[in-house]
Amino acid sequence: MKKVVTGIAFLICMVWVQAAPPVVIDITRFGAVGNGKTLNTTAIQKAIDECHQQGGGKVVFPAGNWLSGTIVLKDQVTLQFKKDARLLGSTDINDYQNIDPFTDGLGIDVGWALLVAVDAKNIGIEGEGAIDGQGSKLKEQQIATDTRPESQRWGRRPFLVRIVRCENVTVKGITLNYAAAWTSHYFQSKKINIENVKIVSHGVAHNDGIDIDGCQEVHIKNCDVVSGDDALCFKTTSSTMACSNIVVSGMRLKSNQGAIKMGTESMAPFENITITDCYIYDTNNGGIKLLTVDGAHLRNVQISDITMVNVRTPMLLRLGSRLSVFRKGKDSQQPTGTLENVVIKNVKAQAAANAQLTPPSGILITGVPGHYITNVTLENIEITLAGGGTVENAQQQVPEAVDKYPEVKTFGPLVPAYGIWARHVKGLKLVNITLHLDSIDRRPAFICEDGQDIEVDGRKIPETIGKPAIIHLENIKNTLSK
């Protein structure tokens, strides 16, 4: 009987241990002070370390303004921000660490961050509060002592959130404000869920919103991003891990640069990516930009159900040969990549009259000589444009810019088609394309140079007296127009 009782007691003990609630630690337990002036880096880090050592749980930020330098998130720990809680980034640049350095697409050393996780599992950032990098204030203090040109100086400023080689990451409900550089950067991480995140981050250069860099199994939905730089950007700054198996939906995006972008850093593949149901507005440098210029294979990408309002140049697809390397001593230059099997459909865009190209154009698609963009379908695309192009504009020669930084303006000051201009393409399908003009444009609606297997099926294009042609094809093999 004694043995039976002992066995039952053991089982009850085991059940109690398994059912024990996760650890919850308030940062004030370690002396954090929420007055916006006291530097709490050590106190917050102690709370995270203690939670991690006890097997994981939640580290709680109560209402208050919690000033800090770099803090490191550990396995099994979720940071929970209560209503009116703000984690404030220190304005002293020396309070930040760079745990995993690399160079960005402009060749600048970057990687410092306020909140960073490296090689961690089962981590999260959640709640009704905010993380605020105080980017403009930090910049003001930095330039008082850093006399380098701004193009070199900005890289020393910290990202707001940086997730490096992590697995099972949840970022939910949080507000991210005013980073000193990129707002959130996820590098070579797996099983990421980003949901109902609000980002307002502008005021200094390079304020990207969400950067997904060589990550896999990613879900992003119902986020609202207002960014000084690219809003939602996919990168591969290393050749060793692709951006793949990614689903994005329900985004609201405003950007001083690109709204939805792949590249410019583009060494490993972008593949199996689906983006749907997004609203893009007041965006200054491209609504959808798919760029592979450093050797990446960009393939099997589907983008659909997109509305754009007041967007400069709705789309740019670019396969180029810049061939940069971003991880010094850890990577080598890649050969020119590929851009293939892309479907963009159900897009309605109102293009801005004040654009990078003058007069403006809707869509640019271009590879480089010997490297063709292959099997791209544009279906149910409706674009309203300002017009204003002349017969002389229709003769414009567009630079190849084979190894240049890939931007719309790289191909300026204008392109010779107002609707779609394509070059070095194979298997381009244009299905149900509708174009509207606010004023007469005497350039062709569609130009394709150096192409093969071009199909145009269904179009509604304004008739304009005095233009050379509605569709102009040059050096083309196998064209079907219905």
Side-chain angles (χ1 to χ4, degrees):
M1 179 65 68
K2 185 176 181 180
K3 291 183 178 179
V4 173
V5 172
T6 301
I8 292 173
F10 174 76
L11 289 174
I12 292 173
C13 182
M14 287 297 294
V15 171
W16 181 84
V17 170
Q18 291 176 4
V23 175
V24 177
I25 296 178
D26 191 304
I27 60 172
T28 58
R29 173 178 157 188
F30 291 90
V33 178
N35 59 10
K37 299 177 180 180
T38 302
L39 190 66
N40 295 295
T41 311
T42 300
I44 296 171
Q45 192 62 59
K46 285 181 178 179
I48 293 171
D49 293 346
E50 178 67 18
C51 187
H52 167 66
Q53 290 165 10
Q54 291 190 33
K58 295 185 178 182
V59 171
V60 177
F61 288 73
N65 296 311
W66 311 97
L67 187 69
S68 181
T70 297
I71 54 176
V72 181
L73 195 52
K74 303 289 183 67
D75 286 357
Q76 315 296 331
V77 176
T78 292
L79 303 185
Q80 184 179 65
F81 291 83
K82 296 295 187 179
K83 186 178 180 180
D84 297 325
R86 284 200 307 164
L87 173 62
L88 294 178
S90 169
T91 56
D92 185 345
I93 206 164
N94 297 307
D95 288 331
Y96 297 94
Q97 303 175 48
N98 190 348
I99 297 176
D100 186 79
F102 69 103
T103 56
D104 84 323
L106 299 172
I108 303 300
D109 292 337
V110 293
W112 288 265
L114 171 58
L115 175 56
V116 61
V118 179
D119 299 314
K121 293 183 179 180
N122 305 322
I123 59 174
I125 305 168
E126 65 180 28
E128 299 180 70
I131 304 174
D132 188 329
Q134 302 194 100
S136 294
K137 291 182 180 179
L138 186 145
K139 177 183 175 180
E140 288 178 9
Q141 295 202 22
Q142 179 201 16
I143 62 178
T145 55
D146 190 338
T147 59
R148 293 177 298 169
E150 177 61 16
S151 61
Q152 300 174 22
R153 178 172 53 210
W154 81 266
R156 181 60 182 82
R157 298 200 283 267
F159 299 177
L160 198 65
V161 175
R162 187 141 187 257
I163 306 297
V164 178
R165 297 184 301 275
C166 296
E167 186 172 344
N168 288 329
V169 179
T170 298
V171 181
K172 187 175 182 179
I174 194 72
T175 296
L176 305 177
N177 288 338
Y178 305 112
W182 297 356
T183 305
S184 58
H185 179 222
Y186 302 81
F187 174 65
Q188 290 194 345
S189 297
K190 295 182 179 181
K191 298 180 180 177
I192 299 171
N193 182 53
I194 303 170
E195 184 176 352
N196 294 324
V197 171
K198 183 175 182 179
I199 294 175
V200 178
S201 190
H202 50 79
V204 299
H206 310 287
N207 279 150
D208 287 16
I210 300 172
D211 286 318
I212 305 296
D213 184 353
C215 295
Q216 300 174 359
E217 300 176 66
V218 179
H219 287 79
I220 307 172
K221 68 178 182 179
N222 299 338
C223 296
D224 188 337
V225 180
V226 177
S227 63
D229 209 310
D230 301 317
L232 173 62
C233 187
F234 302 90
K235 305 172 179 286
T236 48
T237 59
S238 167
S239 67
T240 60
M241 189 166 167
C243 262
S244 64
N245 301 325
I246 296 170
V247 177
V248 178
S249 64
M251 305 293 283
R252 182 179 173 88
L253 306 170
K254 175 183 177 181
S255 171
N256 284 339
Q257 291 296 322
I260 297 170
K261 181 179 175 182
M262 296 180 193
T264 57
E265 297 93 335
S266 47
M267 296 191 71
F270 303 94
E271 56 192 2
N272 304 328
I273 298 173
T274 300
I275 302 172
T276 62
D277 187 25
C278 297
Y279 180 76
I280 299 169
Y281 66 105
D282 297 346
T283 288
N284 290 340
N285 201 2
I288 298 170
K289 301 167 73 175
L290 307 182
L291 318 171
T292 170
V293 295
D294 302 314
H297 301 290
L298 192 159
R299 56 201 173 197
N300 303 333
V301 172
Q302 295 192 29
I303 301 175
S304 64
D305 302 304
I306 308 295
T307 299
M308 304 185 198
V309 176
N310 191 31
V311 172
R312 292 184 180 182
T313 313
M315 300 185 208
L316 169 64
L317 280 66
R318 171 60 163 170
L319 169 62
S321 301
R322 180 181 66 172
L323 307 181
S324 294
V325 177
F326 309 102
R327 304 266 164 178
K328 296 176 181 178
K330 298 179 180 179
D331 228 326
S332 58
Q333 190 178 62
Q334 307 295 301
T336 300
T338 59
L339 197 163
E340 59 187 353
N341 301 334
V342 171
V343 176
I344 302 175
K345 65 181 182 179
N346 303 336
V347 175
K348 188 171 184 178
Q350 182 260 309
N354 179 20
Q356 314 96 308
L357 306 177
T358 304
S361 296
I363 301 173
L364 283 65
I365 306 170
T366 180
V368 294
H371 298 277
Y372 291 79
I373 291 177
T374 305
N375 295 336
V376 169
T377 297
L378 303 179
E379 182 176 353
N380 297 333
I381 309 296
E382 182 176 356
I383 302 176
T384 300
L385 294 143
T390 65
V391 172
E392 290 75 21
N393 293 155
Q395 307 304 314
Q396 178 74 27
Q397 298 298 308
V398 182
E400 291 284 0
V402 173
D403 59 352
K404 302 303 182 184
Y405 191 91
E407 283 291 8
V408 173
K409 66 181 181 181
T410 302
F411 305 100
L414 60 96
V415 298
Y418 72 81
I420 302 170
W421 173 78
R423 182 172 64 186
H424 309 310
V425 294
K426 293 181 180 179
L428 176 62
K429 294 180 65 175
L430 306 178
V431 182
N432 296 333
I433 306 297
T434 300
L435 301 173
H436 305 283
L437 291 172
D438 292 337
S439 63
I440 292 173
D441 200 309
R442 291 191 165 86
R443 295 172 294 170
F446 170 46
I447 289 179
C448 185
E449 306 169 18
D450 184 20
Q452 182 174 324
D453 300 326
I454 310 301
E455 180 178 337
V456 181
D457 184 1
R459 61 185 183 270
K460 294 181 181 178
I461 299 172
E463 292 186 9
T464 299
I465 298 173
K467 71 167 57 176
I470 293 175
I471 297 176
H472 176 78
L473 305 176
E474 183 177 330
N475 189 22
I476 304 297
K477 297 179 182 179
N478 301 331
T479 301
L480 175 62
S481 180
K482 298 180 183 179

